């Protein structure tokens, strides 16, 4: 099925052991590599309710670089020091590799699968989507910058650290800054909180305007 053809009712529902709980009447089954990559993370990380994995052009390009994701932009600095890396072992169809994937992810919510692609986790779907969206943008920025063939301006360690701290929680607005700004309130730092909840309703409204059939 093409992505544009998939709706909520066409999804196959399985449990963490791979047992089918709901099989729509379309004759398709679950991709083995998809299951082996996602299920072990859900089993090892009960705080994770959504795992997203992509093979985008920019994300895959950065996964091939020895340096991985560089803190060249504010967008990339959000993830600095919070990324795991897993060396490529071939398509993820080996049960033993699953344990190594989980170990390389650790308590991070972002994993770069070298020579493969990107993977993110989230407490919720909105938070996971926000992470993969901005991680992809960071990879695009890096590929563009490196492709210019010009000297790069490196931010200071202090600037990188400040940016990492600012993103160590939830969305900060004027009316909730006292409670959510990690710079002003160390207790507001929550690496598992993540951004994304604020934008999600607007993204759903936009998708409904484009084509609401996904929800069927």
């Amino acid at each position: 099925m093409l992505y544009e053809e998939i709706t909520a009712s066409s999804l196959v529902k399985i449990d963490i052991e791979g047992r089918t709980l709901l099989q729509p009447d379309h004759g398709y089954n679950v991709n083995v590599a998809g299951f082996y990559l996602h299920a072990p993370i859900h089993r090892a990380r009960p705080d994770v309710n959504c795992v997203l994995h992509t093979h985008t052009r920019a994300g895959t390009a950065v996964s091939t670089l020895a340096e991985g994701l560089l803190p060249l932009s504010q967008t990339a600095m959000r993830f600095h020091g919070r990324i795991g890396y897993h060396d490529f072992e071939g398509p993820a169809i080996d049960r033993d590799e699953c344990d190594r994937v989980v170990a390389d992810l650790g308590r991070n919510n972002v994993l770069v699968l070298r020579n493969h692609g990107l993977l993110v986790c989230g407490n919720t779907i909105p938070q996971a989507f926000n992470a993969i969206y901005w991680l992809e943008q960071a990879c695009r920025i890096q590929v563009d910058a490196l492709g210019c063939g010009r000297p790069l301006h490196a931010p200071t360690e202090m600037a990188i650290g400040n940016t990492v701290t600012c993103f160590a929680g939830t969305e900060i607005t004027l009316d909730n800054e006292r409670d959510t700004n990690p710079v002003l309130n160390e207790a507001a730092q929550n690496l598992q909180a993540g951004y994304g909840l604020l934008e999600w309703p607007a993204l759903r409204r936009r998708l409904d305007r484009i084509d609401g059939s996904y929800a069927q």
Side-chain angles (χ1 to χ4, degrees):
M1 297 177 72
L2 300 174
Y3 282 117
E4 65 194 47
E5 298 174 313
I6 296 174
T7 63
S9 60
S10 64
L11 297 176
V12 180
K13 186 177 183 180
I14 62 174
D15 64 14
I16 202 169
E17 303 301 331
R19 294 182 291 253
T20 300
L21 304 179
L22 178 63
Q23 175 64 55
D25 187 23
H26 52 43
Y28 299 116
N29 208 309
V30 176
N31 176 271
V32 171
F35 172 74
Y36 279 153
L37 195 57
H38 292 241
I41 295 174
H42 282 294
R43 186 180 294 111
R45 292 277 302 274
D47 59 304
V48 168
N49 290 300
C50 182
V51 179
L52 298 177
H53 170 49
T54 61
H55 294 171
T56 62
R57 181 173 176 175
T60 303
V62 169
S63 79
T64 69
L65 300 177
E67 304 90 341
L69 185 67
L70 298 170
L72 296 175
S73 64
Q74 175 178 283
T75 307
M77 291 178 214
R78 163 181 173 177
F79 305 102
H80 185 67
R82 299 176 181 173
I83 301 178
Y85 288 86
H86 175 72
D87 287 339
F88 188 64
E89 300 184 28
I93 56 174
D94 183 351
R95 289 179 182 270
D96 291 337
E97 184 184 2
C98 297
D99 294 333
R100 293 188 286 275
V101 169
V102 170
D104 289 335
L105 175 65
R107 298 308 300 174
N108 296 310
N109 281 340
V110 176
L111 182 68
V112 173
L113 300 161
R114 293 193 181 277
N115 310 99
H116 184 169
L118 306 175
L119 182 146
V120 304
C121 304
N123 293 21
T124 65
I125 293 173
Q127 290 167 320
F129 175 80
N130 183 274
I132 196 67
Y133 178 86
W134 289 111
L135 181 62
E136 170 67 16
Q137 300 309 308
C139 290
R140 292 185 184 186
I141 293 168
Q142 178 167 319
V143 170
D144 288 345
L146 295 180
C148 290
R150 302 291 297 165
L152 298 174
H153 181 273
T156 65
E157 290 297 326
M158 183 183 71
I160 295 173
N162 287 343
T163 305
V164 170
T165 300
C166 285
F167 282 104
T170 56
E171 283 96 349
I172 305 167
T173 62
L174 285 176
D175 64 348
N176 72 1
E177 183 179 19
R178 183 183 300 275
D179 297 324
T180 60
N181 189 330
V183 176
L184 302 178
N185 180 6
E186 187 174 346
Q189 293 194 27
N190 180 0
L191 300 184
Q192 304 305 319
Y195 282 60
L197 297 177
L198 193 63
E199 301 94 332
W200 190 249
L203 293 173
R204 289 286 302 272
R205 292 195 301 271
R206 181 184 185 189
L207 190 56
D208 288 337
R209 290 194 297 271
I210 297 172
D211 182 1
S213 64
Y214 72 94
Q216 296 175 2

